[in-house]
Amino acid sequence: MAVLSEILLISPSALTSTKYIDAICQHVENGTFCMQMLRTYPPAVSATDLFSLANIVINLGISYANNTGGYAAETAKREPTLKAQFNSCQHEYDGIQLYLRMARGELKESPMSANYDIFRCTDITMYVKDLVGGNRDTASKTFMEMTLQMENLIDVAIGATVALGG
Ligand SMILES: *[C@@H]1O[C@H](CO)[C@@H](O)[C@H](O)[C@H]1NC(C)=O
Ligand SMILES: *[C@@H]1O[C@H](CO)[C@@H](O)[C@H](O)[C@H]1NC(C)=O
């Protein structure tokens, strides 16, 4: 009886989205991160098919890249000694947004092209890490943590394109 009532408490839509979340996360190296992130992100939990979930994942990456680029821009303004590096980082994050937007447009027709374009974002995060990874100041450390999170989100977005056949 206890088991049955537990099953009844799970709504059908939650079960459906779990299936799509699993379909994506099985293609992500850190599946634990992927599961935790998507199962606690309301738009992902309410996705009704794999394609919309993939869109939600890419949108999350775009929004995160926008915020991180914004942080780089603020840092460039605030810290004269970091200006050149962080202007460059902001520019690189614009590139991440651009590739993710391209990928979002390609997702339906060609998940493989979307996969390729998202993969190019990993070159950018690597470049950014080389650029400021050696800095010891707080702003750079915060920015490095944001970049690690960006990498995690890129991995999930790549997993989404693979799940769609890319
Ligand atoms: C995987 O993700 C979990 C949850 O975010 C994190 O605690 C763990 O350190 C990650 N593992 C690796 C190898 O990055
Ligand atoms: C992008 O980031 C800026 C702050 O840097 C914010 O004001 C803006 O709302 C963000 N746009 C989107 C679409 O997330």
Side-chain angles (χ1 to χ4, degrees):
M1 279 313 273
V3 171
L4 182 61
S5 61
E6 268 170 38
I7 289 169
L8 292 175
L9 282 174
I10 303 170
S11 74
S13 74
L15 280 176
T16 307
S17 72
T18 299
K19 184 174 82 184
Y20 301 127
I21 289 172
D22 289 352
I24 289 178
C25 293
Q26 70 174 335
H27 300 294
V28 176
E29 195 179 320
N30 192 339
T32 310
F33 168 82
C34 183
M35 295 277 193
Q36 281 175 358
M37 203 255 310
L38 294 181
R39 285 180 179 174
T40 54
Y41 184 54
V45 175
S46 49
T48 52
D49 59 71
L50 187 57
F51 182 74
S52 12
L53 182 57
N55 259 287
I56 287 164
V57 164
I58 295 177
N59 284 336
L60 187 61
I62 292 170
S63 153
Y64 196 80
N66 177 56
N67 290 340
T68 309
Y71 182 80
E74 269 174 38
T75 305
K77 276 194 202 128
R78 210 178 49 228
E79 312 275 358
T81 55
L82 299 172
K83 188 171 195 280
Q85 279 182 341
F86 275 84
N87 276 337
S88 172
C89 289
Q90 183 200 4
H91 177 76
E92 296 299 329
Y93 266 88
D94 286 347
I96 293 180
Q97 274 198 68
L98 184 74
Y99 285 135
L100 289 175
R101 284 175 200 281
M102 276 169 61
R104 187 175 58 189
E106 292 158 344
L107 204 52
K108 190 145 227 156
E109 296 298 319
S110 173
M112 217 178 275
S113 309
N115 176 284
Y116 176 74
D117 280 321
I118 300 175
F119 199 76
R120 291 155 85 167
C121 297
T122 61
D123 286 341
I124 301 183
T125 52
M126 229 181 286
Y127 173 78
V128 159
K129 286 198 296 187
D130 278 350
L131 200 60
V132 302
N135 295 358
R136 290 282 153 258
D137 61 283
T138 311
S140 297
K141 283 183 183 161
T142 302
F143 183 73
M144 284 303 288
E145 273 166 29
M146 294 172 93
T147 298
L148 291 180
Q149 188 70 355
M150 186 77 246
E151 286 183 323
N152 285 331
L153 292 175
I154 290 167
D155 284 348
V156 177
I158 290 173
T161 63
V162 176
L164 283 172

